Amino acid sequence: MRVLVTGATGFVGSAVVRRLLADGHGVEALVRDAGRARRQLGEAPVLREGDMLVPGTYAHLVEGVDAVVHTAMLSLPGRLTARRAERLFDADRVMTQALADACVGHGRRLVYTGGCFDWGDHGDAWIDEATPLTPSPLGVGHARMARELDALHRDRGLDVVRLSPGFVYGPGGLFASAFVEQAEQGRLRCLGAGRNWWSCVHVDDLAAAYVAALARAQPGSAYAVVDDEPLRLRELTDLVTDAMGRPRVGSVPPALLRLLLGGPLVDSLTTSFRIRGDRVRADLGWTPSRPRFRDHVGESVAALAREA
């Protein structure tokens, strides 16, 4: 296949690019800055510059590929208020709608990236693809797009596959910025009591799920992509500090962090997402090479240390 990957320099997008290339596929990588992207992605992918808010810079690329993997996300550093969260959602809506229209027009597959916050807080109950989308604040945009994409599949024949990963860890992303880097600076704390469940997936295993979805998923399907063992946030935090050889840390009241980080982010991080990933295994033959966070967190910490 020849695949257009949006957000190709991001944590997830760059892993998808690497996996596609390793499996012998061609990649057109949509990036904002080709010079910087070349240093990160190497010589193999074809680089295409574009702005997710300007469909004219990328929608025409769909005709020249076999499928599209959409992982792009607007970058908004700093405190995430409700108004700024809507900017994230609006940017995703603009890009997703443009890509979906182009995919309908040219008969291409679109693989869309949702997330663990799309289902909302379900306490100790298990979540799977049949669970209604009652999103946490940061899942609102994805839940809206899920409904729109499902409607486009029914009404216009859009060949769409939706993937909703758990907490994605590895040498980068939120794992690096919110856990490892905070611990290195002596600022890491467990958010609240940490009784809420998190389901995880390693970024390389997630990338393999995208490739499987491109090749084997039925049009209109949706998959939760998680490893085999959900963890409570308290235990996950302890596993990170243990892997770093640092003392375990205390907790911080969510209300305090809401002032520093913004309500939508904190209110999402304190939700409980205990997710089953049976369907992606059964339908696509996907099996995580890192089935438990606890056994592989040290590998990710070491990889970040090597990059520092």
Side-chain angles (χ1 to χ4, degrees), residues 83-102:
R83 179 175 295 181
R84 300 185 84 212
E86 282 296 333
R87 287 180 59 194
L88 292 177
F89 307 153
D90 287 343
D92 183 54
R93 175 186 54 79
V94 167
M95 189 170 216
T96 304
Q97 289 177 342
L99 292 170
D101 285 343

Side-chain angles (χ1 to χ4, degrees), residues 86-165:
E86 282 296 333
R87 287 180 59 194
L88 292 177
F89 307 153
D90 287 343
D92 183 54
R93 175 186 54 79
V94 167
M95 189 170 216
T96 304
Q97 289 177 342
L99 292 170
D101 285 343
C103 285
V104 169
H106 297 293
R108 306 296 191 254
R109 167 160 289 188
L110 173 64
V111 180
Y112 176 76
T113 307
C116 50
F117 301 131
D118 303 359
W119 289 282
D121 192 331
H122 288 268
D124 289 339
W126 285 97
I127 293 168
D128 63 18
E129 293 85 355
T131 305
L133 300 181
T134 53
S136 305
L138 287 188
V140 167
H142 286 151
R144 289 176 188 161
M145 287 314 308
R147 289 189 288 270
E148 287 194 32
L149 291 169
D150 289 350
L152 283 171
H153 169 67
R154 291 192 306 269
D155 301 339
R156 298 178 58 196
L158 173 66
D159 181 354
V160 63
V161 181
R162 296 190 288 105
L163 298 187
S164 295

